[in-house]
Amino acid sequence: MAGHSKWANIQHRKNAQDKKRGKVFTKIIREITVAARMGGGDPSDNPRLRLAWDKALAANMPKDNIERAVKRGTGDGQGENYEEIRYEGYGPNGVAIMVDCMTDNKNRTVSEVRYTFNRNGGNLGADGSVAYLFERKGVLTFGPDTDDEDVLAPALEAGAEDLVEYEDGSFDVLSAPDDYSIVKAAVEQAGFEPAASDVTMRPATTVDLQGEEAESCLKLIEALEDLDDVQNVYSNAELDEATLSGAPA
């Protein structure tokens, strides 16, 4: 058993994204464009594009928007050349934070990220300062109303590595990034739809925060996520449910 607020965290993030759908669309389109440019426009042969395509569909993005983004990436349309950059830093109480960006202006992006850290009680660190605390994993999250044993059988058969249970009754199915799509398809075919799923940077250990410390950390994470050039923010913070339920989405 681990973590007491996993489900509250998932629900808060979903509600926040629903209210910022326009910005979410922009970030997904950028990811689709870059994925297509790097690996081609066929999602069946490009795992990164397949993942971005699935995110777009999950966010109810129109198919025309997805296809236009792919064309921009493969050169059939015009689009900016984005550079991928990862920044690492610390939040309140030593929380480790990684920020993945796509930008056409590196100087602007680092300035905005540094300012956001400083303004919200954190600080930008050197390359490698916190990356060792995270591991890239495929993660399928299920709510407390799903039986973990029912999900585990098809997941393991498809190549899942582990199942992690949380105190609130929710659980994660973990896989290697390359096996993520296969495992996800297997559990969905067995009739189990994950509440959230992604290939993400998963922390090896977490920092438990409550009250003002949790509120400060959440404020920093959401301020970073709000930056136009930021694609994803990862942290090892475990925030208490009271903070998550009381925070505006």
Side-chain angles (χ1 to χ4, degrees):
M1 287 288 184
H4 58 275
S5 58
K6 175 71 174 184
W7 192 240
N9 209 319
I10 290 293
Q11 296 302 103
H12 174 77
R13 180 171 295 275
K14 183 179 184 303
N15 292 338
Q17 289 180 340
D18 286 347
K19 291 194 174 184
K20 295 186 287 188
R21 187 168 297 277
K23 182 160 285 191
V24 170
F25 275 17
T26 300
K27 293 178 188 290
I28 295 174
I29 287 172
R30 192 175 294 182
E31 170 65 18
I32 290 171
T33 302
V34 171
R37 182 175 296 138
M38 293 179 65
D42 185 354
S44 64
D45 292 329
N46 184 343
R48 180 171 177 177
L49 178 58
R50 175 77 263 171
L51 179 60
W53 193 297
D54 287 346
K55 285 183 181 179
L57 294 177
N60 296 315
M61 182 182 293
K63 191 175 180 181
D64 286 350
N65 294 28
I66 301 173
E67 292 175 346
R68 280 198 298 269
V70 171
K71 287 181 179 179
R72 282 199 296 271
T74 55
D76 297 333
Q78 293 188 350
E80 300 87 351
N81 287 318
Y82 291 109
E83 180 181 2
E84 294 184 274
I85 308 170
R86 171 170 288 166
Y87 298 105
E88 303 174 40
Y90 299 93
N93 225 42
V95 166
I97 297 177
M98 290 201 307
V99 186
D100 281 351
C101 302
M102 287 185 186
T103 180
D104 56 359
N105 186 328
K106 185 176 178 179
N107 291 334
R108 177 195 66 221
T109 303
V110 69
S111 176
E112 290 178 346
V113 170
R114 179 180 289 111
Y115 175 77
T116 303
F117 267 105
N118 292 342
R119 188 183 182 191
N120 292 278
N123 62 282
L124 191 61
D127 290 348
S129 57
V130 303
Y132 70 96
L133 295 170
F134 295 83
E135 186 177 11
R136 194 163 181 262
K137 288 287 183 185
V139 181
L140 309 177
T141 299
F142 295 86
D145 56 342
T146 304
D147 190 314
D148 58 349
E149 292 186 4
D150 290 342
V151 174
L152 187 57
L156 288 175
E157 188 173 341
E161 296 178 341
D162 198 5
L163 184 146
V164 179
E165 297 177 289
Y166 298 94
E167 293 176 8
D168 58 12
S170 62
F171 61 93
D172 286 338
V173 173
L174 307 182
S175 71
D178 289 346
D179 295 332
Y180 164 80
S181 295
I182 298 171
V183 174
K184 184 171 185 284
V187 298
E188 287 178 342
Q189 189 172 3
F192 303 102
E193 184 74 27
S197 59
D198 203 355
V199 175
T200 186
M201 299 300 293
R202 182 179 174 84
T205 59
T206 58
V207 177
D208 192 9
L209 299 181
Q210 299 185 28
E212 292 184 1
E213 290 179 343
E215 291 172 8
S216 296
C217 187
L218 182 61
K219 184 179 178 183
L220 169 58
I221 290 171
E222 294 188 338
L224 288 167
E225 289 177 335
D226 236 14
L227 296 177
D228 289 340
D229 296 336
V230 170
Q231 291 293 109
N232 293 293
V233 178
Y234 309 106
S235 85
N236 68 343
E238 186 73 46
L239 307 180
D240 67 288
E241 188 169 347
T243 297
L244 293 168
S245 61

